[in-house]
């Protein structure tokens, strides 16, 4: 017993000596890299992400980390770097994106590429989306390399171009032309958050699935005629009736492992009324009324229940006194990961039930469909455990209604998890969120994220001595 105990202590101390980082120094360096890449304007289009790629290359090569610059377009470089493990487990991939959305500088308190520190925040375009992650991943690689940390699996760093406006020079190029260099068992990328409400950390949301952007046009035709003699066959009339039918339709609800766990766990963390609604989704008799409530009051959660349809562009007619012979509507359809689209389009035709209106699927298919990543794996459990340790909160898997670059990796079988730093729920509403006219992140949130990632890698990648 004594021997076991002292061996245990020795091992524990060894781990502490080898792997407990000097966080104060690390936070300072993390901030330096964060500010440096925030100050490089990579608004996309055009991107010009090579500026960030060159910065990372310089930083990594100073510490002896070999770097591959992978560029389909020389101005839009991606970075791949790898630290080798003993190969007993398959690699883990850390992904961030180098580009940002555009800015309207007139709207910013601080210049958008100044990375100004104020009140504990860093202000810049890309502060949240997504340069915090690039910076945290840079720092993680430097820590692993400098600590000469023994790894059971390779840790691969990728910073990619083109996430915001065009995946062709970024993830698509990497997945098609550099797959062996980035292939891994699992990846961490953007798409999650640690939710704070009223200053309290409540739970961590981890993106394990995403809906797939699909589309269709409704094309309505009828005889044209003189506007002074209204006709019940008017193409615009038929189109508007069809739009109303599909937009108010409650498509079949279907949960997957992610959304089932999401609503179950959210029920345990929500106020009574909301908890009852989430629980009622699992009761076939009560679910329709809840869906109606969510459709009115909670579009995000409602969209997670089924393939959704939003009519977003309407066109038809050209002169006030002419009844047009054609009118059309463009629909934004967000499909469940496993949706059978031909069958879904047929269902839409039945809902519309009007021979004058055709459903014309379009080939919008920006990102491939893929099964949700699993929530019963070592990787997911390590995310849960790191969230408990660093934030003392539970982890909830989430299916995002929007698309991310993880779709390309999941489509090839990689288990991908969208993670993120702690953020105040109220901050986005104040206009400081991703893609807003201001963007900011608490330095403390960035630091805590790095601790989370380090704890995660300690369990899934570092060799236990
Ligand atoms: Zn992003």
């Amino acid at each position: 017993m004594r021997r076991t105990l002292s061996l245990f202590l020795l091992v524990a101390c060894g781990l502490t000596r080898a792997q407990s980082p000097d966080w104060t120094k690390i936070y300072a360096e993390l901030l330096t890299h964060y500010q440096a890449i925030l100050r490089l304007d990579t608004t996309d289009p055009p991107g010009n992400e090579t500026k960030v790629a060159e910065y990372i290359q310089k930083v990594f090569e100073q510490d002896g980390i070999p770097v591959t610059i992978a560029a389909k377009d020389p101005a839009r470089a991606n970075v791949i770097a790898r630290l080798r493990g003993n190969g007993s487990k398959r690699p883990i991939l850390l992904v961030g994106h180098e580009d940002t959305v555009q800015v309207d500088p007139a709207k910013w308190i601080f210049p958008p590429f100044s990375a100004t520190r104020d009140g504990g925040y860093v202000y810049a375009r890309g502060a949240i989306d997504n340069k915090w992650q690039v910076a945290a991943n840079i720092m993680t690689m430097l820590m692993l390399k400098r600590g000469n940390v023994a790894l059971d699996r390779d840790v691969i760093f990728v910073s990619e171009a083109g996430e915001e406006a065009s995946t062709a020079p970024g993830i698509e190029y990497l997945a098609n032309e550099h797959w062996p260099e980035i292939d891994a068992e699992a990846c961490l990328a953007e798409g999650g958050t640690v939710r704070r409400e009223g200053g309290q950390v409540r739970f961590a949301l981890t993106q394990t699935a995403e809906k797939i952007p699909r589309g269709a046009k409704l094309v309505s035709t009828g005889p044209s005629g003189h506007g002074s003699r209204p006709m019940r066959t008017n193409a615009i009339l038929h189109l508007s009736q069809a739009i109303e039918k599909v937009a108010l339709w409650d498509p079949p609800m279907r949960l997957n492992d992610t959304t089932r766990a999401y609503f179950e766990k959210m029920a345990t963390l929500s106020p009574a009324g909301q908890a009852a609604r989430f629980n009622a989704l699992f009761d076939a008799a009560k679910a329709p009324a809840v869906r109606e409530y969510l459709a009115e009051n909670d579009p995000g959660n409602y969209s997670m229940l089924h393939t959704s349809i939003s009519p977003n562009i309407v066109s038809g007619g050209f002169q006030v006194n002419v009844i047009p012979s054609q009118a059309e509507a463009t629909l934004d359809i967000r499909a469940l990961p496993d949706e059978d689209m031909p069958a879904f389009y047929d269902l839409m035709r039945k809902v519309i039930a009007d021979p004058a209106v055709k459903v014309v699927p379009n080939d919008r298919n920006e990102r491939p469909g893929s099964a949700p990543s699993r929530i019963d794996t070592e990787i997911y459990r390590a995310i849960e455990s790191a969230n408990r340790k660093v934030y003392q909160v539970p982890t909830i898997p989430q299916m995002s209604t929007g698309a991310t670059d993880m779709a390309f990796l999941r489509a090839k079988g990689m288990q991908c998890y969208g993670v993120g730093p702690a953020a105040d729920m109220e901050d986005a509403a104040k206009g400081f969120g991703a893609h807003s006219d201001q963007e900011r992140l608490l330095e403390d949130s960035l630091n805590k994220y790095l601790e989370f990632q380090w704890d995660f890698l300690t369990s899934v990648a570092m060799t236990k001595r």
Side-chain angles (χ1 to χ4, degrees), residues 177-250:
E177 308 293 330
H178 289 269
W179 184 248
E181 294 150 79
I182 66 168
D183 186 14
E185 176 181 337
C187 89
L188 295 189
E190 66 177 335
T193 190
V194 177
R195 172 85 54 89
R196 251 196 329 238
E197 281 174 44
Q200 292 283 318
V201 195
R202 300 238 9 248
F203 49 81
L205 287 165
T206 298
Q207 197 251 53
T208 52
E210 62 187 62
K211 295 181 87 177
I212 308 155
R214 295 286 183 245
K217 274 189 176 175
L218 300 181
V219 180
S220 164
T221 51
S224 57
H226 198 287
S228 66
R229 292 187 294 275
M231 299 194 293
R232 291 281 164 95
T233 51
N234 185 322
I236 288 181
L237 171 63
H238 282 256
L239 180 70
S240 59
Q241 288 172 328
I243 290 173
E244 182 174 358
K245 285 178 193 163
V246 293
L248 296 179
W249 179 38
D250 178 39

Side-chain angles (χ1 to χ4, degrees), residues 56 62 71 87 99 111 122 142 188 191 244 265 310 315 331 344 366 370 374 395 404 415 445 453:
I56 297 168
Q62 272 168 4
D99 60 325
V122 176
L142 293 173
L188 295 189
E244 182 174 358
K265 289 201 167 197
S310 182
S315 62
L331 308 178
F344 187 81
E366 295 140 5
S370 54
R374 295 174 57 162
T395 302
T404 77
Q415 300 290 302
S445 291
Q453 185 153 279

Side-chain angles (χ1 to χ4, degrees), residues 97 129-130 163-164 190:
H97 66 84
D129 188 9
N130 171 244
E163 194 275 343
E164 296 291 356
E190 66 177 335

